[in-house]
Amino acid sequence: MLSDGKILIHGGFTAYNGVASNRIVRLNANGTKDTSFAIGTGPNDYVETAVVQPDGKMILGGRFTSYNGTAVNRLCRVNANGTIDNTFTVGVGANERIREVALQPDGKIIVVGDFTQYSGVTVGRIVRLNANGSVDTTFNSGGSGALSKIWTVKLQPDNKILIGGEFQAYNGTAAKRIARLNTNGLLE
């Protein structure tokens, strides 16, 4: 639920209540479609995660490669009205599916999934972005990162990062499906 009582839903659907609506819809508190949320043609494939920032903008991740006709490669930020935020630049984006996004208190964004590259940078299925969408080079997954898919990411009160997924190791150290990372991205 959003701070104004509205509800954001996302997934693989292409219609809501019989009306075309590609994979993301904002609802009024009574369940009717909020027509002020104008996504145009929206994402061209599944939206698997959506995080609302304090300013009302939303970061979307998933399998989509475009949003309303703009190439975004699996990650974008949209304004509170549903239009794409062109100040958030993902470069070439992720080379595979994004499964979850977490927003840090400082505005940086942790992104996890199946991808091994983000905006041309080799990453181990996890990357931290600056608030403008660029890669945060101070975050270091140690080279190889997770050796298989990361399904989920959660932030702890001490800002350490919990990840879970199909991986058996993180940066060469055994970590069976769950790992706790320091704020710099290295295994704790």
Side-chain angles (χ1 to χ4, degrees):
M1 186 172 302
L2 305 176
S3 62
D4 60 2
K6 294 185 180 185
I7 303 160
L8 186 70
I9 60 173
H10 58 83
F13 58 89
T14 56
Y16 177 79
N17 204 17
V19 178
S21 190
N22 279 340
R23 300 167 185 96
I24 187 165
V25 173
R26 188 169 66 196
L27 305 176
N28 295 308
N30 66 2
T32 60
K33 186 175 177 182
D34 177 0
T35 57
S36 69
F37 190 66
I39 65 166
T41 58
N44 67 339
D45 205 341
Y46 283 79
V47 175
E48 299 202 22
T49 185
V51 175
V52 181
Q53 296 181 166
D55 63 1
K57 292 181 179 184
M58 293 158 255
I59 300 167
L60 310 177
R63 289 192 239 176
F64 58 91
T65 56
S66 70
Y67 184 92
N68 198 19
T70 300
V72 292
N73 283 343
R74 301 169 187 91
L75 187 75
C76 70
R77 183 167 65 196
V78 297
N79 296 305
N81 66 1
T83 61
I84 196 158
D85 178 1
N86 291 318
T87 67
F88 188 76
T89 55
V90 299
V92 295
N95 67 336
E96 279 293 332
R97 172 194 222 165
I98 290 174
R99 293 185 182 266
E100 193 164 23
V101 174
L103 185 63
Q104 292 186 177
D106 64 359
K108 292 189 178 185
I109 305 150
I110 298 174
V111 181
V112 300
D114 304 357
F115 57 93
T116 56
Q117 288 196 340
Y118 184 88
S119 199
V121 177
T122 299
V123 294
R125 296 169 183 85
I126 183 170
V127 66
R128 184 167 63 196
L129 306 178
N130 295 306
N132 66 359
S134 64
V135 174
D136 177 2
T137 58
T138 67
F139 188 79
N140 180 2
S141 62
S144 60
L147 297 181
S148 190
K149 300 170 186 173
I150 300 175
W151 283 69
T152 189
V153 58
K154 301 295 180 217
L155 299 176
Q156 295 187 300
D158 62 0
N159 291 321
K160 296 214 175 168
I161 304 158
L162 291 175
I163 57 171
E166 297 177 20
F167 57 91
Q168 297 291 314
Y170 186 86
N171 197 29
T173 301
K176 294 194 178 217
R177 297 182 180 86
I178 190 167
R180 181 173 151 148
L181 309 179
N182 290 306
T183 58
N184 63 1
L186 295 175
L187 194 61
E188 182 180 57

